[in-house]
Every structure is written in C-alpha cells, then in structure tokens.
Amino acid sequence: MKPAPFRYVPAASLEEALALKAEHGDEAKFLAGGQSLIPAMNFRMAQPAILIDINPLTALSYVRQDGNAIRVGALTRYRTLQRDAAIAGKLPLMAEALPEVAHPAIRNRGTLGGNLSHADPASELPAVVSALGGTLHTRSKKGTRRIAAQDFFTAALTTALTADELLTEIELPVLPPRSGTSFLEVARRRGDYAMMGVACAVTLNASGACAEARLAYCNAGETAMLAPKAAAALKGQRIDDKTARAAAERAKAEINPFGNVHASADYQRHLAGVLTRRALLVAAERAGA
Amino acid sequence: MSIRSFGQPIKRNEDGRLLQGKALFVDDVELPRMLHAAFVRSPYAHARIRGIDTQAAKKRPGVVAIYTATDLGAYWRPGFLLVPPPPIAGITFNERTQVPLVKDKVRHAGEPVAVVIAEDRYIAEDAVAEVVVDYEELPAVVDLEQARDARSGFVHDDLKTNVAAHVRQIKGDYAKAVAGAACVIKRRFLYDRGSSLPIETRGVVAHWDAKADRMTIWDTTQAPVFLRNGLAAMLGLSERQVRVIAPFIGGGFGPKIMMFYPEEVILPWAARKLARPIKWIEDRFEHFFATTHERGQLHDAEIALTTDGRILGVKDVFLHDTGAYDPYGLTVPINSQCTLLGPYHIPNYDSTFTALFTNKPIVTPYRGAGRQHGVFVIERLLDIAARELKLDRAEIRRRNFIPPDDFPYNNQIIYQDFTALTYDSGNYGPILDKALKAIGYAGFRDEQARQRAKGKHLGLGIVAYVEGTGIGPYEGAKVQVQASGKVSVATGIGTQGQGHYTSFAQIVADQVGAKVTDIEVVTGDTDQFYWGAGTFASRGAVVAGNAVNEAAKVVRQKILRTAAEHFECAEADLVIEDGKVTVNGVPGKSVALGVLANVANPMRGAVKPGTEPGLEATSYFGPEMGATAAGVHAMIVEVDPETLMVEIKDYVVVHDCGTVINPLILAGQIHGGVAQGIGNAFYEQLVFDGQGQLRNASLADYLIPTALDVPRMTLDHTVTPSPLNPLGIKGAGEAGAIPVGPLFAQAVEDALGLPDKGIELNEIPLSPSRLWELAGSADNITASQQARVR
Amino acid sequence: MSHKVSVTVNGTTHERQVEARLLLSDFLRHDLGLTGTHVGCEHGVCGACTILLDGLPVRSCLMLAAQTNGRAVTTIEGLSTDGKLSPLQEAFRDTHALQCGYCTPGMLTTMTAFLAETPNPSEDEIREALSGNLCRCTGYQNIVDAVKLASQRMAR
C-alpha cells in the first residue's frame, strides 16, 4: 500500500499554488491535512501526478469573528477549531460535531477546508456547514468566488470547485438570539463515519414557536442532504414531541440514503427519523423553548 | 526453596524491549542488498487465466524479476495437507490445497498470480499495476447452500462437487431420545465469517547465504519448526541448512499457524535464485485476502428434553465453509462438532457436517477454531428450551452439567487430536455459582424493572462452555545454566504475545533457584531448538510449559549432584535459592550457579563416563490427550430500543484452567479473548457480494472493537487441576473468545423482550442494522416494552 | 525528484534526500532505522504508527517524509532516556498493558501527549483518547489502568 509516483511541490505562496493548479488542472491535487487523500493514495485509488502541499500557507489557518459571521481559514485544523473560543461560543453546532470526527491524531492534521473539498457525504462537517447555511470562498488565478454550501456539494466526493480553484475560507453565520442547535449521530464505533447523523439548527420567535429550522444529514445521500420541507413545516409551530415526530417523518421522505455494509438504507432512514426527533427537541430546549 | 514464582503475577521479562521499540519484528529485519516483493493478486473470485503479460512491468527501472507459476517449474506444487482427516468411519475428505501461484484457475479474490521482485516495495507495487493478466471471469460459488447445488459450478472442476468433506459422528441413539422426549426444539443457526486481524500483518524475509550454504528465513509464523522441515524438503536442502526464525510476532490468533502460505514458498526460492535477500510484508489490504479467515457455518439443530429440562439428545446437521482450499483438514468443523456438547451430559448425539469449497479465502483455525459455533448452537438451544419449559436459564444449565464425580468423562466421539473426546477433570457448578453472584443474577429482574420504568432497557446473558486445550503431539525444551549464572531456556514453539518469556521463566525459576529476570527464554528459532509443533489450540503453556518443567527438574538434579561433589556433602543437605547453592546450616558454604556451571564443564580432565558436560537438559512432553478447561461468562447490556445500539454495562468471566502459572498473563489472555469475542458477536463481519468480492477490506469498514467498545471485566477463577500433566495446567488462550456470541444474543433478546414477540437472535454477528431488520421495526419493540411497563 | 529534508527525530537532526512519495513511517523505519514505530494498516485507522510531530500525535503513514522539513518528531525510541523507562512505559509494564507489543508504540506516543494535556484523566476520558488506537491482544483494560497509574505517579 504505497502511493504511485507523483511530483511534490510545497507551496511557497498562494499565488504559486494557484498557478500550478491552473497549469495542471485535475492532474494536480492540493494536499492539506491529507487524512483522506493520503489513504486514498496509499490504496492507489487516487493517483495525482502533482501534489501541491498548501500546509506551508499558514496564513490560511485562522478563526475570525467578522460581524455576524465567523470566518474560518481553509487550512484550520480540527484541533484548532476544537480549542477556539469563538467556535465554542458562537458555533456550538460545529463544536458539538468536531469530537465525532475521527480521532485526536487525525484531528491534529485534518483541516476544515480539506474535509469540505473532499465532500464525503458521510462526513459530519458538510452537514454542519450546510445546516448553518455557510458560504464557501474560493480562489483561483482568475479571481474569487462565493458559493453557498448547498451549491458547493454537487455529488458524492464532488464539489462545485473548478479544476483551478482552491477553497480558502468558510464563512459561517452566527445564529440570532433564541437559537439552539444539536448535532447527533449514530456510528458503529466512536470516530467512524456515522451510519446516520443530523445537524439541526432552530430559531424561536418571541412566543417560543419555531421561526426558522434547518436540518442537514450525513450519510443520507449523494451530498449533505437537507430536509427543507420538514424544516419549513415546523415554522410557526411549537417544537414538541408531536411536531418533532411529524418533522422526522417528513425528513425521512426527503433524504435518500444508499445503505452500505454497516447499515441498510431502511435502517438509515429509520435512524434519520429517530435522530431528527431527538435533535429538534434538544435544539429547541437549547433555544430556550 | 525461596518464594515460588510459579503462580505469582510477575511482570514480564520481554516488556522492557517492547516498550522501548527495541524488539525485533519481521519487518525490522534489514539486510544488505535486500530486495522487496509484491504480489499480483486476482481481482476476481473465480476466473480462468488466459494469459499473463509481464513485459511492460519487467522494463520498469528497479524491477529485478517477475515470476509466474510457469517460472517455478518443478518447484510448483500444491501445499501439504497440514492435518489429515481424523480416523472416523465413513468419512469423505477431498484434499485440495493452495498453490504458490495460480496456474490455470483463480479460486478466490486475492489469490496470487505473479510476484514482482524489485529494489523497493514502492517500485514493486508500481510494477504489479503494470502486469496484465487476461482473466475469463466465471460465476463464483459464494453462498453455502448454493455451493451444494451442482448448477452453481465447481471450485475444483475435477471433483465434480464442492463437497470438501462429509463427517457423521454418533453417540447413543438420538431417535430413541426423541421418542422419550417431552419437548423437541428445532432451529437454524448462522455463524458468519470474520478475520483474526492481528495488528501486525504477515511477513517473510528470506536470505540465502551461498558461502555458508544456508537459508535463513524470518517469518511471522506460529510454527517455525514445521516451516523449516517443509521448506527444507521443498528446496531440496537438509533441515540443518535451513534456519527459521519467528522473532517477536505482532499477534497470531491462529492464521499465522497456517502454512505454507504462497509467499512463504516463493520468497526462499526466489532469494536463492537471485542470490539476494528478499522481504515481503503483507499490507493490510492484502491481509483481508491472503491471510486465512474463519467461521461461516449454517446449522440445523434440534434438542430433545424431558419436562424438567434434562437433555435427552441433540441432533445437528451443519454446513461448513472451508473456502477455496482445505489445507488445515477438518480441525475447525470437528471442533464445532465436539464443542457443541459443552459442559453438559448429553447421552445421545447425532452430528453430521458437510464442508464445502467456496470461492472465498481459505478457512483455517482462528482463536476458538470452530468451538464458538458449537457453543452458540447448544447455548441458544438451551435458552429456547428454558423458555419453552418455563425454567430459569441458569437452572437448565446447572441441571445438565456433568457431575464432578463423573470425570474423566468420555463423550465417545473423536476430537481434533484424533483421540476420543474425553474431559479430564471439571467441576462446573461452582463456576456458575460464582458468575451468578458476580453479575447480580438474583436481583437482576428487579433492577431490570426499575430501569425500564426509567426508560432504560437492560438485559442479562449467562452462558457456559468447555474448551479442549493443550493437545499433543509434543513440545520440547532445553534448559541450560550458563557460566554467567543466567539460565537459558529454548523451546521450539513461537510466541505472539502470550508471555512465554516470563511464564516459562517462572517454571524454571522454581526448579533451579534463579531469579525470573535471570532466565532468558528463546522461542521460535529453529537453530536454538530443533523439535516442536507450534503455538496453537491453547497449548503453549500446557505442552511446552510441562516440557520446560521436566527439563528444569533434570537440571536441578544436575545442580544438586555437582554441588554435592563440590562440597563433598549429601544432596539432601543442599539448598538452591537466589542463584546459588548453599549447605544447609553451614554459613559461608555457598557456590553460585554460574560457578557450578563451569565445574560441570571443566577445561581439563574428563567428563566421567555416563555423564554429560554442563548443567543442561533437554526434555519433551506429550500429553495423551487434551485438557478440558471450562467457564461461564455473564453480561449486562443496555440497548437503545430506537437505534438498537448496544452498550455493555457489566461483564463477568469465571474460568477454570487448572493451575495458573501467572495470573497477570492469564487475565490478559481472557481480556483479549473477550474483546475478540465482542468483535465477533457485534462488530466484525466479512461481507461478500454475489461474485465473491469482499466489500469491506479495510480497517475503516472491518470493525475491530476499540477501547470504548470493550467494557471493564470482572474475572474470577476456580481451579480444577488437570491430571494429564504434572503441572496441572489447562490452556487458556481461546476461552475468552468462545462464548461471547450466544451471550450477546441472549442479553440483547432479554433487554428488548424479543422472545415475548416471538423473535429470536439465532445468528452471529449481530449489528444495530441487523437487529433492526430482525426485530421488524424498532417502533414495535418500543411499543411492546411500554405495554409491559404499564 | 527527491527533496531535501532536515528533520529532528528524538533530538537528533537528520538531513536526507527523500523521494516525494516516501511515507514518513517508511522514512523513520527504513531510512533512519527507527523500527520501533510499527505499521499496521497504512490508511490511518489502526494507530500503531502514531508519532509525535512537534509534540502532537499524528499518523506517520498519512504524512510524507518530505513534509517534515524543519519539524521535530518523537518516536517510541525517544520516550525513554538511557534505558530508563518513562512513567507511562513503567506503568505499561506494571499493569501488563501489552501482549504482542505491536500496537504499543502508537499507544505510548498517543497517551504521552494525552497525559501532557490531561494530567488527571477519568476512565471515560482515557478510553476516548485511546479509541483511535487499535489493540487486538489486551482488550484495553490493562492499558486504561496503565494510563491511570501513570497519571497518578506523575502527579506525585
């Protein structure tokens, strides 16, 4: 299990990295944390001709509050995110999901940008970023783009990134007051990809009814699946066991899990229902319902 | 004698090296000019090879050679049959053993087709990708029941059947038992495939030294002596010309006893041909195909009982998946057949199995070696019987235990060691009593109800088992006092973490009066000890341990004789302790063992006729039959009735393996066995598709339990020494793993109240997803539980 | 194309030319001869090859040797000094926390870093921190006990 030959270029600057990517397109891969890419290369499932190592570009590692948003540099490692006060305070949904991502040794290397660019639908963070309605900032030699999370993930392991583009920043809105979130997953073992997971965000109105809800799922289809109908139907309703159950039933119909060696598609769908109900109740409680 | 070290929880001699990264494992061997091998493996489970083109791959810089079956010439031959079928009347056995490289037809995915030898492993893998093999894919024989159908095709065409073996063993008259029974229960049980998955994969380094005319092979084998003998024969060398070293081995668990793996056959041959050392280290992906698997049986079993739950008889008809070849004979299904009888008095038994070839990797023993299948069947049958007869599940077991005064107890059928299945000694009631007490059996129903009122679903499981351990043929050991005062012990078995460096030292320490840390044990080097069989069937401590003891006893006599001559006193006046011999009651009259070793090996003068130089002895031990260990496991689980996730809340093991050498090491063996049992019961499954492709060949998808999945265990012991060996030892290596399947099934059933809904868990492994399918729908479970609480 | 790296391993700086694709695990084991780091899966799951990179545990099978230029690596060989075991290594021996010893290097590096950050861990925290390192021999119980014992001894 040794990688096929490739050319390795540690990026001296962002401009150099982008120029190389523009030159080589799909033949080249950016190397961030490498915790998904290098295993794929060791299995020879990925055989890039050129590996552009962006780890030297430390300016891409940051967490900044900017008005009503948290901006995260694409090269920020999970470990850093887990220990960041702004993430813990302003993005509790992400803080709750991070410990579910693999194990400490992996989180010491893996990066948010690398994770999202890899776009594994079973991963936790695409669901979190989708549930939060994040915006992904990209750069290429030609310029910059802003892509909404729900447009970024186009299929399993496929994103809207063009062959010359690098994801540079993830912008995540801070939820308004009277909001609550919950991340729940069921995995065979701690640190495994979830058989099913849900990222849930709820905002209540003054009377305690649901003003806005968002539900996003891991391992529920080609991408981080959203359940917009289930979420919309909650608007104006008090979130309780009955409405949460109804939302769960709606969400089950909106997702499209494939099934795998660990979980049948039916079981995954069933789990989505259980987790949706539980997550909505927790999120509503946290919102102050 | 000073304080005995035998029986003490002594820290291990080998740990210092292992903890500092100083222990030699096979992949640590570095030799000048060493080459590296990688194998071209079939992507298909069943395919005819129409041609192999190695031209492009051979041109790659750094590639030294590429060999296919044709290149092996007369060296190509199917492997030896390691274990011939036992002498059972009417047996059918079709021997088909693995080949070094596929010549005509691939019989399982991952079977090696060609080998690339290159300057490094990276280049070797590059070349592997460039070897072009023209395959004609054939329909694969995957499913056990389909394998019996001729329309599915044949794994071995010349046989015109997929039957590898057919065996029937009978005790008493089952038909008579049924005629007199109040209750007959019949069920189907499935036990699916898993992998032993040691953290160290297999590996071989072969080094031909042309000037010394010797071949040295480092191999991750559990049986270096057999490997040497076989390779010498294959290579046309004398056994003295071949040295096999099994250094530190990163876990074995059975599949590392299998031989001769294709890689073991090819590397020495190629190293000699190329006159350069060659290393092959199995990578993790290869491991899923190239190392043998276990399990995979389908049982149709029935039990006949009286109204008070006494077993009158058991009938079992089962299919055993042997994979593409059957080099290990019938050890696994025979173990299943025999171990089903458990600790119970079963007067009538009729068991038939059919072993079938399939297009899947080979099945050979893995920790438990078929025993867990038998235990699963009898324990599940007893659970069902207890419900039918409205008996307590612990009580039905107790009623059927073989009484303590019925030993030795002859079960009248043939065991894997070819002797009648006879239990040497046992006393099962106290084991059950201790386990029931430790798990809180008496108060559990109340606790279960209290927790259920709070919405928690607890369940308890309790199962019993026996394990035939410590079988022959024999092991040997050489014990030698050195001039330094240290004592060297050499034995032919390999060691894979069982602590032999320490437990054997403890045995010797008590005999020769040296400190355990001054006793240096060498295992697994055929130049250090010539004879032996290997580490398998929980036999290392029993068979090699007793050989070590016998040799140490002789050395003790030599020490006493030499010291008596030295002091001109009677042997009876001597005391051996703390590395010296002293004359009792005479202060100052003392001689160190090292000095005596020199006295016994003089530079001048003659060794007297009839004596030997040195304080050294070699002894052998071969038990007439296996020693039977026994135990009871109990556990409490909590199941989330919606997600069907299972958490183990409490786990108890009470075990009887006779006399204990080192309780620390024994506890470790039990812990590790239970962890593998838990993996087997709930996490690990090799999932094949209809074309024999393994769908989860990675550690991300083949799920080994982690520190969060294996609970803290409470261990207790009873001691019924074995009369079959002087130390009274029974084996303990496999016991932890054997009964976990039925335990898990029983506890989960109990937690979810499944029997009340007519649902039984009669297959292993389980998983949350499978539980959900079997239980129909989790909502139903929840509803039924709520109804019960109300 | 090869790359020049200058990497400090267990306090000694090594300058080497490495091929782009050479994994850090292979570099440590076969170029530097530090065979105490074990390789169990080469896809980042088993944890046997875990080393400390600038003090933090990482999988050496998921990094390229070329990426370590200017970095400091600690392997199992660097945990003891002059043959004297660290408190964690000592505790592993005392509680029989290893059998075959193959996963042990990764356990020790991972837990060394864990204890530095979590000096007084609970059993749950220890198990969580261990969950990325697979052991097939011990059932983990004695490893958990070793980590606890080491933390108690280090607190004294």
Side-chain angles (χ1 to χ4, degrees):
Chain A
M1 280 180 55
K2 312 294 183 189
F6 55 85
R7 192 178 138 208
Y8 169 76
V9 184
S13 68
L14 180 57
E15 289 66 33
E16 186 204 45
L18 294 174
L20 264 174
K21 190 78 167 88
E23 185 186 344
H24 297 284
D26 288 333
E27 293 282 283
K29 284 284 248 180
F30 289 118
L31 173 63
Q35 303 298 289
S36 297
L37 178 57
I38 298 206
M41 289 170 64
N42 289 356
F43 276 110
R44 296 199 178 209
M45 292 186 301
Q47 299 195 16
I50 300 175
L51 211 51
I52 306 165
D53 186 356
I54 60 168
N55 284 282
L57 308 180
T58 49
L60 288 177
S61 171
Y62 56 85
V63 180
R64 277 199 285 271
Q65 185 157 7
D66 180 3
N68 256 347
I70 302 287
R71 294 177 180 274
V72 181
L75 197 64
T76 312
R77 303 189 198 278
Y78 304 126
R79 177 190 167 83
T80 310
L81 295 171
Q82 278 190 282
R83 285 160 178 75
D84 187 275
I87 300 287
K90 305 288 182 186
L91 296 177
L93 183 63
M94 178 172 281
E96 196 173 7
L98 282 166
E100 307 290 345
V101 181
H103 301 282
I106 303 294
R107 296 198 293 266
N108 286 340
R109 289 297 295 167
T111 67
L112 180 59
N115 175 293
L116 299 177
S117 302
H118 184 56
D120 191 322
S123 175
E124 289 81 1
L125 295 167
V128 168
V129 171
S130 299
L132 291 173
T135 305
L136 290 89
H137 297 240
T138 71
R139 271 191 68 176
S140 70
K141 250 176 89 174
K142 287 179 281 188
T144 61
R145 284 206 296 162
R146 293 163 52 93
I147 307 170
Q150 63 199 69
D151 302 326
F152 183 79
F153 305 106
T154 54
L157 307 178
T158 312
T159 67
L161 285 168
T162 54
D164 61 347
E165 254 179 334
L166 173 68
L167 173 62
T168 53
E169 184 182 275
I170 300 90
E171 178 188 341
L172 298 161
V174 177
L175 295 175
R178 294 183 64 75
S179 294
T181 59
S182 174
F183 183 88
L184 292 175
E185 72 169 46
V186 178
R188 288 301 324 263
R189 303 171 302 183
R190 187 65 184 264
D192 285 343
Y193 282 123
M195 292 188 285
M196 179 55 60
V198 60
C200 167
V202 166
T203 304
L204 304 180
N205 62 24
S207 63
C210 176
E212 168 91 41
R214 289 184 73 92
L215 293 162
Y217 297 82
C218 1
N219 217 348
E222 280 278 338
T223 62
M225 298 292 282
L226 294 167
K229 289 178 196 157
L234 282 167
K235 270 189 194 171
Q237 304 220 40
R238 199 166 273 283
I239 295 175
D240 56 20
D241 191 66
K242 184 162 164 259
T243 55
R245 275 181 196 277
E249 285 310 309
R250 284 196 185 89
K252 279 163 72 175
E254 289 186 80
I255 59 169
N256 184 27
F258 305 135
N260 55 42
V261 291
H262 308 299
S264 69
D266 286 347
Y267 174 65
Q268 285 186 295
R269 203 181 289 277
H270 160 74
L271 284 179
V274 173
L275 296 179
T276 301
R277 189 191 81 237
R278 292 181 182 179
L280 278 169
L281 293 172
V282 171
E285 192 188 330
R286 288 175 179 170
Chain B
M1 224 186 289
S2 58
I3 299 170
R4 278 168 62 91
S5 48
F6 190 99
Q8 299 301 311
I10 286 173
K11 288 182 249 173
R12 299 200 317 172
N13 280 346
E14 53 267 55
D15 287 356
R17 270 187 290 168
L18 289 164
L19 285 165
Q20 296 178 84
K22 290 177 180 169
L24 183 84
F25 290 84
V26 170
D27 192 22
D28 303 343
V29 174
E30 293 282 354
L31 298 168
R33 303 176 64 242
M34 190 163 72
L35 297 168
H36 296 263
F39 285 80
V40 177
R41 297 183 183 278
S42 170
Y44 300 108
H46 199 190
R48 218 168 290 287
I49 295 182
R50 287 191 290 225
I52 305 172
D53 182 356
T54 60
Q55 286 313 307
K58 274 181 175 159
K59 287 189 192 122
R60 174 170 282 273
V63 172
V64 175
I66 299 178
Y67 301 117
T68 64
T70 319
D71 298 311
L72 296 180
Y75 188 67
W76 189 98
R77 55 153 287 176
F80 300 108
L81 178 66
L82 291 173
V83 186
I88 297 168
I91 191 170
T92 301
F93 181 69
N94 291 317
E95 173 185 336
R96 288 295 180 279
T97 55
Q98 74 288 354
V99 299
L101 292 171
V102 175
K103 232 177 207 171
D104 50 355
K105 195 172 92 158
V106 169
R107 294 188 174 86
H108 69 81
E111 197 170 6
V113 172
V115 60
V116 175
I117 316 283
E119 294 293 340
D120 73 35
R121 174 71 183 230
Y122 290 74
I123 296 168
E125 290 189 20
D126 294 341
V128 162
E130 290 168 335
V131 172
V132 182
V133 184
D134 182 8
Y135 295 100
E136 178 195 346
E137 193 183 1
L138 303 169
V141 180
V142 182
D143 179 79
L144 260 183
E145 289 187 283
Q146 281 172 5
R148 283 205 293 190
D149 185 344
R151 286 168 301 184
S152 305
F154 302 121
V155 177
H156 299 278
D157 298 308
D158 60 313
L159 282 178
K160 304 212 164 23
T161 174
N162 287 319
V163 172
H166 184 81
V167 174
R168 185 176 184 193
Q169 294 214 72
I170 299 172
K171 169 189 179 184
D173 182 351
Y174 179 74
K176 230 168 77 186
V178 170
C183 169
V184 176
I185 288 155
K186 188 171 179 175
R187 291 291 188 279
R188 169 165 277 211
F189 300 98
L190 173 68
Y191 212 105
D192 206 358
R193 271 198 185 216
S195 171
S196 63
L197 229 125
I199 308 297
E200 179 201 40
T201 55
R202 290 189 301 115
V204 184
V205 176
H207 175 39
W208 172 249
D209 184 338
K211 286 182 189 159
D213 212 21
R214 288 205 81 194
M215 175 74 75
T216 304
I217 297 157
W218 289 263
D219 190 305
T220 53
T221 183
Q222 293 172 229
V225 174
F226 274 12
L227 195 70
R228 173 202 59 200
N229 296 352
L231 285 175
M234 279 185 258
L235 294 163
L237 298 171
S238 91
E239 289 172 10
R240 294 283 181 195
Q241 282 177 287
V242 179
R243 178 185 186 186
V244 173
I245 302 170
F248 278 93
I249 306 293
F253 315 124
K256 285 181 182 170
I257 191 98
M258 186 14 219
M259 66 186 77
F260 297 83
Y261 279 109
E263 303 86 1
E264 289 170 334
V265 174
I266 288 167
L267 257 74
W269 174 85
R272 200 172 172 201
K273 196 173 168 72
L274 297 171
R276 289 178 69 177
I278 308 175
K279 177 188 278 188
W280 170 76
I281 300 297
E282 181 184 61
D283 68 35
R284 186 53 70 184
F285 183 68
E286 286 183 288
H287 179 82
F288 279 99
F289 305 91
T291 290
T292 54
H293 296 168
E294 211 214 271
R295 304 170 191 174
Q297 288 183 359
L298 185 64
H299 290 249
D300 285 304
E302 55 182 274
I303 187 167
L305 307 103
T306 62
T307 40
D308 60 353
R310 292 191 194 275
I311 303 170
L312 294 171
V314 171
K315 182 179 176 187
D316 184 27
V317 177
F318 71 95
L319 303 180
H320 170 76
D321 178 359
T322 194
Y325 302 96
D326 57 0
Y328 219 94
L330 299 176
T331 301
V332 175
I334 292 276
N335 275 347
S336 307
Q337 185 167 58
C338 289
T339 311
L340 185 146
L341 292 166
Y344 309 115
H345 174 63
I346 299 178
N348 301 290
Y349 185 44
D350 183 346
S351 171
T352 304
F353 70 80
T354 306
L356 292 159
F357 290 115
T358 59
N359 289 120
K360 287 185 274 185
I362 305 167
V363 165
T364 68
Y366 157 38
R367 201 173 200 166
R371 295 179 184 88
Q372 41 271 78
H373 313 61
V375 173
F376 186 66
V377 171
I378 188 68
E379 292 300 308
R380 290 274 67 201
L381 285 172
L382 284 175
D383 288 337
I384 297 161
R387 283 199 295 272
E388 292 284 324
L389 298 169
K390 305 211 171 357
L391 287 169
D392 177 77
R393 52 195 154 152
E395 180 55 28
I396 197 169
R397 288 171 166 85
R398 186 192 307 281
R399 277 185 198 174
N400 286 291
F401 279 161
I402 298 163
D405 47 8
D406 278 10
F407 292 90
Y409 180 87
N410 188 344
N411 259 316
Q412 300 167 33
I413 60 173
I414 302 289
Y415 192 45
Q416 61 151 310
D417 62 354
F418 295 14
T419 62
L421 178 69
T422 304
Y423 301 168
D424 55 338
S425 64
N427 187 5
Y428 305 137
I431 306 177
L432 179 63
D433 292 340
K434 281 191 168 195
L436 291 173
K437 187 153 184 265
I439 201 74
Y441 191 79
F444 179 72
R445 283 288 172 236
D446 291 345
E447 173 64 10
Q448 187 181 35
R450 267 196 299 278
Q451 292 297 327
R452 202 155 290 173
K454 293 186 212 162
K456 287 186 190 293
H457 291 66
L458 298 188
L460 184 146
I462 186 151
V463 300
Y465 62 98
V466 296
E467 183 202 353
T469 74
I471 59 171
Y474 76 93
E475 287 297 337
K478 178 156 76 182
V479 174
Q480 182 189 61
V481 180
Q482 307 204 339
S484 63
K486 296 204 171 192
V487 181
S488 143
V489 180
T491 169
I493 65 167
T495 189
Q496 305 88 41
Q498 297 91 337
H500 294 141
Y501 300 97
T502 311
S503 49
F504 294 164
Q506 286 176 252
I507 293 170
V508 173
D510 287 347
Q511 294 293 353
V512 306
K515 283 192 287 194
V516 170
T517 47
D518 281 338
I519 296 167
E520 293 164 343
V521 178
V522 177
T523 70
D525 181 344
T526 59
D527 269 14
Q528 296 278 341
F529 199 82
Y530 198 87
W531 303 97
T535 307
F536 57 92
S538 301
R539 68 191 291 280
V542 185
V543 188
N546 274 287
V548 166
N549 187 48
E550 294 305 313
K553 281 201 283 200
V554 177
V555 170
R556 179 183 178 81
Q557 288 313 313
K558 289 189 176 184
I559 292 169
L560 289 171
R561 194 184 318 137
T562 309
E565 286 172 14
H566 180 75
F567 288 125
E568 296 181 338
C569 68
E571 288 182 25
D573 295 336
L574 297 171
V575 178
I576 314 179
E577 64 183 1
D578 297 336
K580 55 187 187 294
V581 185
T582 51
V583 182
N584 210 358
V586 187
K589 268 216 161 183
S590 162
V591 61
L593 288 178
V595 173
L596 279 180
N598 272 336
V599 169
N601 182 29
M603 290 293 285
R604 291 290 183 274
V607 171
K608 288 177 198 156
T611 66
E612 294 159 347
L615 301 175
E616 178 186 298
T618 299
S619 294
Y620 296 88
F621 181 78
E624 58 181 285
M625 63 177 82
T628 304
V632 170
H633 289 209
M635 79 173 176
I636 294 174
V637 298
E638 181 179 344
V639 185
D640 180 328
E642 291 189 315
T643 64
L644 283 307
M645 292 291 282
V646 178
E647 186 188 348
I648 303 172
K649 309 293 280 187
D650 200 0
Y651 202 107
V652 168
V653 178
V654 183
H655 186 235
D656 185 344
C657 59
T659 315
V660 176
I661 307 173
N662 184 326
L664 203 58
I665 290 173
L666 174 61
Q669 287 292 313
I670 302 282
H671 290 163
V674 169
Q676 289 187 9
I678 289 170
N680 186 195
F682 200 61
Y683 293 92
E684 302 177 34
Q685 184 167 25
L686 292 166
V687 183
F688 291 89
D689 71 11
Q691 270 305 306
Q693 294 293 332
L694 185 56
R695 292 178 59 209
N696 57 338
S698 87
L699 283 185
D701 281 325
Y702 185 82
L703 310 175
I704 295 182
T706 73
L708 290 167
D709 307 311
V710 182
R712 184 163 285 278
M713 297 159 222
T714 305
L715 308 189
D716 200 354
H717 301 275
T718 61
V719 177
T720 312
S722 173
L724 298 174
N725 63 77
L727 292 174
I729 305 173
K730 299 177 177 183
E734 299 171 273
I738 289 172
V740 191
L743 185 69
F744 222 95
Q746 192 194 106
V748 170
E749 276 183 1
D750 189 37
L752 295 174
L754 296 182
D756 295 347
K757 297 166 69 338
I759 297 167
E760 292 169 0
L761 302 177
N762 292 337
E763 63 183 59
I764 289 293
L766 298 164
S767 69
S769 183
R770 186 65 185 140
L771 281 175
W772 190 73
E773 284 164 21
L774 290 170
S777 134
D779 293 338
N780 290 346
I781 298 170
T782 319
S784 102
Q785 294 309 303
Q786 282 166 348
R788 257 183 97 173
V789 172
R790 277 186 223 118
Chain C
M1 198 175 95
S2 74
H3 298 261
K4 192 177 167 194
V5 292
S6 172
V7 55
T8 302
V9 183
N10 303 328
T12 305
T13 303
H14 302 267
E15 303 217 346
R16 288 283 198 286
Q17 289 287 332
V18 296
E19 206 193 331
R21 62 171 164 169
L22 182 67
L23 298 174
L24 176 56
S25 45
D26 285 334
F27 173 71
L28 291 170
R29 291 178 46 77
H30 304 304
D31 287 37
L32 299 186
L34 294 169
T35 54
T37 296
H38 293 160
V39 172
C41 75
E42 291 182 308
H43 52 284
V45 183
C46 79
C49 73
T50 307
I51 51 103
L52 302 180
L53 180 72
D54 295 326
L56 295 180
V58 302
R59 308 286 203 230
S60 63
C61 73
L62 298 189
M63 274 193 77
L64 307 172
Q67 289 185 283
T68 59
N69 191 31
R71 312 294 294 270
V73 168
T74 307
T75 67
I76 182 173
E77 289 93 343
L79 297 181
S80 53
T81 35
D82 302 329
K84 188 173 158 32
L85 301 182
S86 75
L88 184 65
Q89 288 168 314
E90 196 69 54
F92 263 61
R93 172 187 250 171
D94 290 346
T95 62
H96 185 35
L98 64 157
Q99 288 181 31
C100 80
Y102 200 80
C103 73
T104 310
M107 293 283 177
L108 289 172
T109 48
T110 305
M111 290 297 107
T112 297
F114 170 70
L115 285 175
E117 283 193 329
T118 320
N120 183 27
S122 67
E123 172 152 354
D124 286 350
E125 285 173 320
I126 295 169
R127 286 185 180 270
E128 162 97 36
L130 276 174
S131 68
N133 291 71
L134 300 175
C135 172
R136 197 60 161 161
C137 293
T138 65
Y140 303 103
Q141 183 161 324
N142 291 349
I143 300 178
V144 172
D145 291 347
V147 176
K148 189 77 197 161
L149 180 63
S151 77
Q152 288 160 352
R153 287 177 178 171
M154 287 159 75
R156 274 189 221 134

